[in-house]
Amino acid sequence: MADRDARREEILALASGMFARSGFHGVSMDELGGALGVSGPALYRYFPGKEAILSAMLVDISERLLAGGRERADSADDPGDVLESLVEFHVDFALDHPDLIAVQSRDLDAVPEAERRSVRRLQAQYVDLWVGALQGAHGVTPDRARAGAHAAFGLINSTPHSARLTRPEMAALLRSMALSALASMPDDR
């Protein structure tokens, strides 16, 4: 069973890179299998189809983001510390997994409806962690906190693709810029 799980993870990791470069629709099962050194049909032992690979990939990233966000939110009492911890976590995740973020952003519509709803539900719960932290840290309304969280995600998620700095320099820059942007949110009350 461990070998099967390891092979599934290998398939997902390779597929994320290929889907990020060529798009979900631009990669065939034969191409994916070939990159793994097997035939395309051999992949059906692990996944019922290409959509199942994408679904597993995007549900997994959403579960990992939510679990990591919850861990960070639960590890601090002060809302400002929670926010800083969430920003740090998201920056690290985006820098470590830019392919997954690109695939999630671009190819979610190719996921079957049930899995897409699951991804959206997990994403909403992750955003809610940020909303709570922003409201506590900056006293903004829920709508403004939600908009601010999405703006921060946009900054953090898009930058790793064009990064020209070392990873530590990029992480420090993204953390600083995201926290500065969030701190400057005007209160709409």
Side-chain angles (χ1 to χ4, degrees):
M1 187 61 138
D3 288 342
R4 181 173 177 78
D5 291 342
R7 187 62 165 170
R8 281 179 57 91
E9 291 302 314
E10 181 183 8
I11 293 166
L12 292 173
L14 185 66
S16 71
M18 292 177 73
F19 292 170
R21 282 186 300 280
S22 302
F24 171 75
H25 297 292
V27 177
S28 71
M29 287 293 274
D30 286 335
E31 291 169 323
L32 184 55
L36 288 159
V38 300
S39 69
L43 298 176
Y44 292 107
R45 285 183 256 165
Y46 302 95
F47 295 95
K50 192 169 76 163
E51 291 82 9
I53 293 171
L54 181 63
S55 295
M57 183 186 307
L58 296 186
V59 168
D60 178 65
I61 184 180
S62 299
E63 289 173 343
R64 288 176 18 201
L65 277 168
L66 180 58
R70 282 180 174 157
E71 183 180 313
R72 293 298 183 107
D74 292 343
S75 68
D77 294 324
D78 178 77
D81 292 342
V82 170
L83 184 58
E84 285 185 32
S85 189
L86 286 171
V87 167
E88 180 178 329
F89 167 71
H90 199 92
V91 165
D92 287 340
F93 196 93
L95 290 174
D96 291 343
H97 307 287
D99 290 344
L100 288 172
I101 297 224
V103 171
Q104 184 176 33
S105 173
R106 185 185 52 226
D107 293 321
L108 181 59
D109 288 343
V111 172
E113 183 61 32
E115 289 85 357
R116 189 169 46 242
R117 276 194 312 269
S118 178
V119 168
R120 291 288 188 211
R121 180 182 44 77
L122 293 163
Q123 288 175 335
Q125 291 173 5
Y126 182 66
V127 171
D128 286 344
L129 294 172
W130 283 68
V131 168
L134 282 163
Q135 285 186 276
H138 298 301
V140 295
T141 64
D143 287 343
R144 187 161 301 269
R146 190 167 308 284
H150 283 284
F153 299 153
L155 169 76
I156 295 167
N157 290 346
S158 66
T159 306
H161 301 287
S162 61
R164 302 278 191 272
L165 303 174
T166 66
R167 190 201 187 287
E169 291 171 325
M170 197 69 225
L173 178 66
L174 287 172
R175 281 187 205 104
S176 174
M177 290 182 72
L179 288 169
S180 294
L182 292 169
S184 69
M185 290 176 39
D187 189 350
D188 58 351
R189 291 185 243 183

